[in-house]
Amino acid sequence: MRGSRRQTIVDVAQRAGVSKSTAARALSNAPEISPATRDKVLAAARALGYERNHLAVGMRSGRSGMLGLVIPDIANPFWAEVARGAQDRAADAGASLLVFSSDWDHDREARHLQALRQARVEGVIINPVADSFDDLHRFGLPFVLIGSSAERFPDTSSVGSDITQAVRLGLDYLLSMGHRRPWLMLGPRWRIARARFLRAVNDHCLERDVDPASLPIEDGEYTVEGGHAAMRRILEKDRSGHICVFAANDLMALGAMMAARDAGLNCPEQVSVLGFDGIPGGAFSWPGLTTIEKPARALGRRAVESLVDEIAGRADHSRIYLPCRLIERGSLADLSDAAVGSRQSERV
């Protein structure tokens, strides 16, 4: 009875009236199989609901049709969007994608890489946790790096957001809105993403004859809870009036907005918040989160394209920077001279 067991290549061959090897070659689109035989085998496979076991095929041929992706935090919507973009592009290339989350843990990352090698994937995309990349080099897999950590490996193919451009875009926008001394809500000191963000801030300030030390900093975790706790500390320190925060990711920004609301403050009337990442959830906060959007899905898609080039031996081992864009919503007050003057004239 159909459905009582998984259909095999033997079942397909018997239904099509050909040998097992002929059926296998027909399903692999081998050139020596005639169109009539191939059509007959494909019709038999469809009738039986047969699905090829790509892992078994890979073990025999040395190719699995599978790619690996190791991201640091699948719970962060930004990385989920990266995975979605990678999955879509892998499907376009006729490949499947195995996704693992390292949770910023080196040992877990190493176990994932080992599992991917045992699964005979053809290559791996990874946001590395460790400073050493001996794991991948030892496994001998083609790989492409993504994220901020990839800058530590300049001789390796990598894809990332243009953080320098993004930070400059955010700071210039804040200045145009009258926020000359925003708080910088950054991540843990051990994370290279924090160093990259801060380096971009320093370079931007120096180019505009602004002392980078004039911008106050509050560190936290890259989570909603981390942003909430960091914002509480900012509110305890800053009694100067309107508070503006430029958060290093959207989860922190959303946590900061929650903390302001919990303290009885209104956003953006008393507290302005600018995010960084462009996760979908920012559109549904109240008010909507103004943010610098990193192209998460495009990053995932481009990483797969680079990995395919690596596998084919045509990679140039360069870093690809993808531009970011500003998304304006409602979490930033306009304190520019023009806006303030307009509001005063309206009251007269």
Side-chain angles (χ1 to χ4, degrees), residues 31-327:
E32 67 271 17
I33 300 298
S34 69
T37 299
R38 181 177 295 107
D39 291 344
K40 184 164 57 176
V41 172
L42 292 176
R46 286 193 296 270
L48 293 172
Y50 171 76
E51 294 180 355
R52 299 184 76 197
N53 186 330
H54 290 284
L55 181 57
V57 171
M59 292 176 68
R60 292 191 295 271
S61 68
R63 298 182 65 85
S64 65
M66 293 190 293
L67 307 176
L69 173 65
V70 183
I71 53 179
D73 184 7
I74 194 66
N76 185 326
F78 172 78
W79 289 110
E81 287 289 297
V82 171
R84 178 57 186 270
Q87 175 182 279
D88 291 347
R89 186 62 185 87
D92 291 342
S96 298
L97 190 70
L98 300 180
V99 182
F100 291 87
S101 179
S102 69
D103 297 327
W104 297 107
D105 182 273
H106 172 259
D107 292 337
R108 184 170 296 175
E109 177 184 271
R111 290 195 299 272
H112 292 335
L113 293 175
Q114 183 177 9
L116 287 167
R117 186 173 188 274
Q118 291 171 346
R120 302 181 70 85
V121 297
E122 297 183 42
V124 174
I125 299 165
I126 181 169
N127 185 107
V129 174
D131 288 327
S132 170
F133 232 68
D134 291 341
D135 292 329
L136 274 180
H137 288 304
R138 184 170 60 250
F139 289 158
L141 295 171
F143 61 88
V144 169
L145 306 183
I146 55 175
S148 299
S149 301
E151 286 203 347
R152 293 174 293 184
F153 310 96
D155 298 326
T156 300
S157 296
S158 64
V159 182
S161 305
D162 191 338
I163 301 302
T164 299
Q165 174 257 342
V167 170
R168 291 169 181 265
L169 180 62
L171 291 174
D172 283 342
Y173 180 68
L174 289 174
L175 184 60
S176 73
M177 298 286 279
H179 301 284
R180 296 176 174 81
R181 190 174 175 271
W183 279 85
L184 304 177
M185 186 179 288
L186 306 179
R189 293 179 179 273
W190 63 271
R191 294 279 292 277
I192 195 167
R194 178 189 189 278
R196 284 189 66 200
F197 192 102
L198 196 53
R199 184 177 67 212
V201 170
N202 288 342
D203 291 346
H204 185 269
C205 287
L206 292 175
E207 289 176 6
R208 285 157 175 74
D209 294 326
V210 175
D211 181 3
S214 66
L215 302 185
I217 295 174
E218 187 64 44
D219 294 338
E221 298 292 333
Y222 288 119
T223 62
V224 172
E225 296 79 10
H228 192 281
M231 189 66 191
R232 289 204 310 269
R233 294 191 295 271
I234 290 174
L235 293 175
E236 292 172 357
K237 298 174 184 178
D238 194 331
R239 305 290 182 180
S240 60
H242 191 100
I243 296 175
C244 177
V245 172
F246 187 4
N249 83 352
D250 281 350
L251 294 180
M252 298 179 87
L254 293 172
M257 292 170 65
M258 292 171 59
R261 185 167 56 247
D262 291 346
L265 302 175
N266 293 324
C267 178
E269 290 81 5
Q270 295 166 287
V271 174
S272 290
V273 179
L274 176 63
F276 198 79
D277 271 354
I279 64 174
F284 302 105
S285 64
W286 185 257
L289 177 63
T290 296
T291 186
I292 305 299
E293 181 190 52
K294 295 192 289 187
R297 289 201 185 190
L299 193 156
R301 290 193 297 269
R302 191 65 185 85
V304 169
E305 292 169 1
S306 294
L307 183 58
V308 170
D309 287 342
E310 283 282 342
I311 294 169
R314 55 176 183 264
D316 60 6
H317 302 295
S318 62
R319 179 162 177 80
I320 298 170
Y321 291 97
L322 302 181
C324 304
R325 70 185 183 102
L326 172 70
I327 297 179

